[in-house]
Amino acid sequence: MTIRLTIRLTIRLTVAQALVRFLAAQYTERDGARQRLIAATWGVFGHGNVAGIGQALVEEAESMPFHQGRNEQAMVHAAVGYARQSNRLSAHAVTTSIGPGATNLVTGAALATINHLPVLLLPGDTFATRPADPVLQQLQLPYAGDVSVNDCLRPVSRYFDRIGRPEALIPAALAAVRVLADPVETGAVTLSLPQDVQAEAYDWPAEFFAERVWRVRRPSPDEDELDAAVAAIGRATRPLIVAGGGVRYSGAEEALHDFAALTGIPVAFTQAGKGVLPHGHPQDVGGIGHTGTAVADHLARTADVVIGVGTRWTDFTTASGTLFGHPSVRFVNLNIAAFDSHKMAALPLVADAREGLEQLHSLLEPHHVAAHYVHEYAEERLRWQTRVDAAYAVPDEDARPTQAQVLGVLDTLVDGSDILINAAGSLPGDLHKLWRTRSTDQYHVEYGYSCMGYEIPAAIGVLLAAPGRPVWALVGDGTYLMNPTEIVTAVQERLPLRLIVLQNHGYASIGGLSEAVGAERYGTDYRHRDAAGGFTGAPLPVDLGANAASLGMCVLRPRTVRDLREALAEARIATVPTCVYVETETADTVSGPPPAQAWWDVPVAATSTRPSAVKAREEYDRHVTARRRHL
């Protein structure tokens, strides 16, 4: 009788050390290109992670780069900016203490999950062994002893697990990275780490730390779904493509270019999709929906077949269900996620965007829309560009610039290497309608969550993913006040962040919306309050430029359009974090951006004694009758 002994090699590490070493060995691969899945870790340390993950990052410093953040939400935004610039193929981890450090992650996690962008969250948690109950910052619930504040992250995470014992890390870590690397499932992933478990030692199988490659799939469309899509597109007389962020994340820009050129079908873009065709492409008709162009929205209203490629069909894209007005309009949705491909009662085409477009291309090769349709949208494109030129025009170089003129001046300075980042306020609408993209990744507007305070930290993430490229964070004063803290991180890491702060002394976007719905701009201005609760007097004496300077930025203060040209040119070649702080003109004497070309549903008070609200409700009732459910 022969007895065979198998000797299994183990490595003794703490749970935190094992997790960091494991993450450093994970890779994604698509089309033969390989990259680190978790390229770095962000952290703000406190009790709950300093002695566990913090010590592990020191131990594994050679294999896991570290970035020091100032605000937990901002760290997630920076990680998301990095992931988007990396086309979701590489991501960052974020570690926090327990208590407020962990709950500060929730907004960033929601943003990541809504936008389908990967980020790994590693919040500390209270003791698994409960030696003292409660510990500092512990949530106590009389009905549940196993709940902590980290459970707030469950609904905004694509995967959540609490590591209550060392050996539980192995299946949890594998599940976490699987979700992060999956183009359908990806979003925020949370591994909740009790502080005592983090520091506990365990004998880990050596193969847990071996390099592991997660191949990013490119699924092909089902033949029957493909045949149905081809038949629908082939019958269309006024087809329209709506391109979303899925085009970018698939790397399908060239496939879309070829498909549009072959068929002559015009292409409109969501906020996430804008730029996948560069400005000037013959089929580019601009942004679609509430913040879209007149030409794209006109084509949407008259389209008989709408081909959605990598879009989630949000309310801004559909104008709250009022945009697609053709009585027999039919949708074809090419999307890697079956959930999104079935929206709008569409013919689903569940596939990778590049694979699906290439197969549609081959089957529709002899097909081209009628010449009169091409002539129609080409003429409308030219008319829209005339409106853009008017918004950008500067009749007086020595006047204070409008917001649109700031964009126009920037437009004259950038090339395809520049990247613009924005998320909230009135800028997303202006950018969607006006901006002329030079490259497929120049336009970075986060509009799934439209989170104020995203721009500055996200720009840092983009700078880390695209070193050497000019990266601009565009913010209003309201957004700046939400989250300026990562300026310090940019200074610490010597990242040449270019920040444009537009000072208009209030929440200009929500103020305009407030006026439109009969709320009379209440609570949206930055001025002193009077006895009746209204606003009076000059704007508050707030100097955000001085604030940016106090955090370490070089600050330029242009007062005129002429000054602005010089300041933006200086900022573009700067090698240190630089802020252009500009007071914008809001007077009616200068041309502004074109108004919204489609509706957006914000319910108005059904009863009111205020004439403004009564009038707004009448306008609301007129628009809401056009809402349509596509069935």
Side-chain angles (χ1 to χ4, degrees):
M1 179 178 179
T2 301
I3 299 176
R4 295 183 178 180
L5 299 177
T6 301
I7 300 175
R8 192 179 187 189
L9 181 62
T10 60
I11 301 173
R12 190 163 183 81
L13 299 168
T14 69
V15 169
Q17 292 164 357
L19 176 58
V20 172
R21 186 174 295 192
F22 167 83
L23 292 175
Q26 307 304 301
Y27 293 82
T28 62
E29 183 176 283
R30 188 176 71 180
D31 302 331
R34 181 180 297 190
Q35 47 277 310
R36 280 273 296 268
L37 174 58
I38 303 299
T41 296
W42 289 83
V44 171
F45 292 115
H47 94 97
N49 71 335
V50 66
I53 291 291
Q55 190 281 329
L57 287 168
V58 174
E59 195 91 11
E60 303 292 330
E62 290 187 8
S63 63
M64 180 60 71
F66 175 75
H67 302 295
Q68 182 179 347
R70 270 72 196 175
N71 173 280
E72 292 87 358
Q73 176 183 318
M75 292 193 298
V76 186
H77 293 335
V80 167
Y82 177 90
R84 172 166 168 155
Q85 187 63 31
S86 303
N87 280 341
R88 305 193 300 197
L89 298 173
S90 185
H92 283 170
V94 176
T95 179
T96 72
S97 64
I98 70 173
T103 52
N104 281 350
L105 295 173
V106 174
T107 295
L111 182 148
T113 294
I114 285 170
N115 286 284
H116 299 291
L117 290 165
V119 59
L120 176 60
L121 307 180
L122 305 173
D125 207 337
T126 52
F127 287 80
T129 53
R130 305 183 191 179
D133 196 21
V135 298
L136 178 65
Q137 299 176 329
Q138 179 178 338
L139 173 71
Q140 277 195 302
L141 298 175
Y143 62 85
D146 62 344
V147 172
S148 79
V149 296
N150 287 6
D151 289 274
C152 295
L153 289 159
R154 287 182 183 271
V156 292
S157 298
R158 296 294 292 176
Y159 178 83
F160 179 100
D161 203 349
R162 179 174 281 112
I163 312 303
R165 291 180 57 86
E167 56 267 39
L169 177 66
I170 294 176
L174 290 168
V177 295
R178 178 193 64 78
V179 173
L180 289 168
D182 189 312
V184 175
E185 295 297 322
T186 197
V189 168
T190 300
L191 294 181
S192 181
L193 302 170
Q195 57 180 311
D196 52 345
V197 177
Q198 287 181 50
E200 189 173 343
Y202 185 73
D203 293 322
W204 305 92
E207 57 263 38
F208 182 53
F209 307 112
E211 286 191 3
R212 193 179 301 266
V213 178
W214 302 83
R215 289 182 172 82
V216 180
R217 300 183 299 279
R218 288 195 180 277
S220 295
D222 174 82
E223 288 188 11
D224 291 339
E225 290 184 353
L226 187 61
D227 289 344
V230 168
I233 298 168
R235 290 192 298 267
T237 59
R238 297 183 63 83
L240 173 68
I241 296 169
V242 175
V247 176
R248 171 178 286 113
Y249 301 135
S250 170
E253 295 92 342
E254 184 177 349
L256 178 63
H257 174 285
D258 294 344
F259 180 75
L262 166 80
T263 62
I265 300 175
V267 183
F269 309 97
T270 68
Q271 287 280 14
K274 184 176 171 74
V276 294
L277 291 183
H279 174 74
H281 187 285
Q283 276 68 54
D284 167 19
V285 295
I288 192 169
H290 178 65
T291 54
T293 68
V295 53
D297 286 352
H298 166 69
L299 294 174
R301 291 183 179 99
T302 59
D304 56 353
V305 170
V306 180
I307 307 160
V309 185
T311 177
R312 298 186 297 127
W313 293 115
T314 67
D315 62 338
F316 260 66
T317 301
T318 67
S320 299
T322 64
L323 188 56
F324 300 99
H326 192 286
S328 57
V329 63
R330 194 69 192 270
F331 292 81
V332 175
N333 282 348
L334 169 56
N335 202 296
I336 198 168
F339 176 77
D340 289 318
S341 68
H342 283 84
K343 292 177 179 176
M344 311 294 281
L347 294 171
L349 192 59
V350 183
D352 170 76
R354 193 187 75 180
E355 291 295 308
L357 284 168
E358 288 178 349
Q359 294 201 35
L360 286 173
H361 185 155
S362 65
L363 294 173
L364 284 165
E365 193 160 343
H367 179 79
H368 195 281
V369 299
H372 66 82
Y373 185 45
V374 176
H375 178 74
E376 174 190 335
Y377 68 72
E379 288 292 309
E380 291 192 18
R381 286 177 69 241
L382 292 175
R383 283 193 288 272
W384 182 257
Q385 287 309 311
T386 300
R387 299 181 71 177
V388 174
D389 291 340
Y392 282 173
V394 179
D396 182 1
E397 287 280 331
D398 293 316
R400 192 162 66 178
T402 66
Q403 181 168 288
Q405 288 169 345
V406 173
L407 297 181
V409 173
L410 187 62
D411 176 80
T412 66
L413 294 173
V414 303
D415 60 30
S417 65
D418 294 74
I419 301 171
L420 274 65
I421 299 168
N422 184 242
S426 56
L427 275 167
D430 289 358
L431 288 164
H432 202 204
K433 288 194 287 274
L434 304 177
W435 189 256
R436 298 160 174 165
T437 54
R438 270 71 165 188
S439 62
T440 57
D441 65 350
Q442 180 174 87
Y443 189 85
H444 182 134
V445 173
E446 186 283 302
Y447 217 56
Y449 210 44
S450 188
C451 185
M452 296 176 73
Y454 170 81
E455 294 90 342
I456 293 172
I460 292 172
V462 172
L463 282 162
L464 293 171
R469 294 180 62 177
V471 177
W472 302 84
L474 281 63
V475 302
D477 51 313
T479 291
Y480 179 90
L481 286 167
M482 287 280 184
N483 201 1
T485 55
E486 298 316 299
I487 287 173
V488 178
T489 301
V491 172
Q492 182 181 39
E493 304 230 357
R494 297 183 175 87
L495 296 171
L497 167 68
R498 294 153 182 89
L499 173 63
I500 300 176
V501 179
L502 303 175
Q503 174 61 277
N504 52 33
H505 301 286
Y507 299 118
S509 175
I510 204 67
L513 179 61
S514 172
E515 187 172 44
V517 299
E520 304 175 24
R521 293 184 177 264
Y522 187 81
T524 65
D525 215 343
Y526 289 169
R527 287 185 289 173
H528 291 289
R529 302 289 293 272
D530 59 25
F535 299 97
T536 184
L540 298 175
V542 175
D543 188 342
L544 301 183
N547 179 264
S550 75
L551 297 177
M553 293 198 92
C554 171
V555 178
L556 308 175
R557 294 174 175 268
R559 298 187 180 278
T560 68
V561 176
R562 192 186 312 278
D563 297 340
L564 178 67
R565 293 187 192 281
E566 296 175 0
L568 291 177
E570 181 178 342
R572 190 171 185 273
I573 62 173
T575 58
V576 297
T578 302
C579 171
V580 178
Y581 181 63
V582 54
E583 295 254 2
T584 56
E585 178 62 70
T586 58
D588 296 332
T589 55
V590 290
S591 176
Q597 304 296 304
W599 187 59
W600 181 45
D601 188 354
V602 178
V604 178
T607 62
S608 178
T609 60
R610 313 279 297 185
S612 59
V614 172
K615 182 179 178 181
R617 181 65 191 201
E618 291 172 354
E619 184 72 4
Y620 178 83
D621 289 339
R622 183 178 68 84
H623 281 290
V624 80
T625 58
R627 188 197 308 282
R628 176 181 178 188
R629 291 193 183 276
H630 297 278
L631 301 171

